[in-house]
Amino acid sequence: MRKPDGKIVLLGDMNVGKTSLLQRYMERRFPDTVSTVGGAFYLKQWRSFNISIWDTAGREQFHGLGSMYCRGAAAIILTYDVSHPQSLLELEDRFLGLTETANSDCLFAIVGNKVDLTTERAAEGGEKDGQASEKEGSCVSKVPKQVQLEDAMALYKKILKYKMLDEREMPSAEQMCFETSAKTGYNVDFLFETLFDLVVPMIARQRSEEPSKVVDIASCKTPERTRSGCCA
């Protein structure tokens, strides 16, 4: 299997829907999932590049593995549940520290999942942009949204300061903060494909900066052989 050209990692507390987001995008379905153990990944070809997308476990006992999965990441998706404010706080308290092993120019996306369960913003129906119909689970009672998009944008700006990244050189908070529904497919394609489009130029730039591994045989001189013998 060809080595991935870049890596995207999903981080977040358990039950925020990281696995469901990834499976909705890659498999076009919303399965009944169990908690991820350790980590798992998919390989996505985007243009001429192969990008691995890593799903990580949110459980406390697997927390230390997150740093290993983030090593060399080009982008990290920090995921929370819009109906649970604590899941947003956990991103800063528990998961941000795991990103120290990512690339120095790593991109961060803040994603509020499960908007289909809230009264403020029901997910849009239909098959628009590859999204599933809202009819799936439409009878589920909805609750008020507890985390606003502005809260995620504030966290994004705090992350840039924490990473000492210049806001003028990074994508804006409006571009990197999303609300999604893995169940209906709302904004899922938009999330991943926005990141792919941002990551690909980074990968191409890194490739161009790598020293050439091609050896010019014609320029390599063969060392002259010296005479040998007892009288030399």
Side-chain angles (χ1 to χ4, degrees):
M1 182 176 66
R2 177 181 166 184
K3 181 181 177 182
D5 300 299
K7 177 165 64 173
I8 295 175
V9 181
L10 287 93
L11 291 179
D13 207 357
M14 60 185 300
N15 298 324
V16 297
K18 301 184 299 297
T19 302
S20 298
L21 280 171
L22 191 48
Q23 291 187 349
R24 166 60 78 185
Y25 181 67
M26 294 299 300
E27 301 181 8
R28 320 310 287 176
R29 65 190 181 95
F30 180 75
D32 293 326
T33 58
V34 296
S35 297
T36 302
V37 177
F41 78 97
Y42 288 85
L43 201 60
K44 173 70 176 181
Q45 183 171 356
W46 190 252
R47 300 179 189 171
S48 60
F49 300 94
N50 278 347
I51 300 174
S52 61
I53 315 171
W54 284 83
D55 178 25
T56 61
R59 288 185 178 183
E60 192 73 41
Q61 60 263 47
F62 300 116
H63 187 67
L65 295 174
S67 180
M68 179 182 69
Y69 293 127
C70 286
R71 186 173 294 116
I76 292 175
I77 300 174
L78 293 165
T79 314
Y80 66 94
D81 179 344
V82 295
S83 59
H84 287 86
Q86 185 61 30
S87 65
L88 182 69
L89 297 175
E90 290 291 320
L91 293 180
E92 182 177 0
D93 295 342
R94 284 180 54 209
F95 294 96
L96 186 57
L98 302 179
T99 66
E100 296 298 324
T101 55
N103 288 346
S104 58
D105 57 352
C106 177
L107 298 173
F108 291 87
I110 315 294
V111 179
N113 192 37
K114 301 188 180 183
V115 294
D116 56 287
L117 298 180
T118 66
T119 54
E120 271 188 56
R121 185 173 181 178
E124 298 175 0
E127 298 294 333
K128 183 180 179 182
D129 296 329
Q131 297 168 1
S133 172
E134 189 186 8
K135 292 180 180 179
E136 301 176 30
S138 58
C139 295
V140 176
S141 59
K142 299 183 184 298
V143 297
K145 187 168 67 173
Q146 299 295 314
V147 185
Q148 304 301 320
L149 191 59
E150 291 76 14
D151 299 322
M153 292 168 63
L155 175 59
Y156 177 78
K157 292 178 180 179
K158 186 181 290 188
I159 290 173
L160 294 187
K161 290 182 179 179
Y162 172 78
K163 296 289 186 179
M164 293 185 289
L165 298 169
D166 190 338
E167 280 192 47
R168 295 168 297 181
E169 298 177 358
M170 301 300 291
S172 67
E174 290 81 3
Q175 187 179 2
M176 299 305 289
C177 294
F178 304 79
E179 289 185 329
T180 62
S181 168
K183 188 167 189 176
T184 68
Y186 174 75
N187 259 356
V188 175
D189 286 5
F190 180 61
L191 161 65
F192 284 103
E193 292 171 6
T194 295
L195 282 181
F196 294 155
D197 283 339
L198 290 170
V199 164
V200 160
M202 296 168 59
I203 297 172
R205 184 173 65 251
Q206 289 169 0
R207 271 191 184 180
S208 66
E209 292 173 354
E210 289 179 357
S212 176
K213 297 179 181 179
V214 178
V215 178
D216 185 357
I217 298 177
S219 65
C220 297
K221 295 183 178 179
T222 304
E224 295 181 3
R225 298 179 62 182
T226 58
R227 296 180 183 178
S228 62
C230 61
C231 298

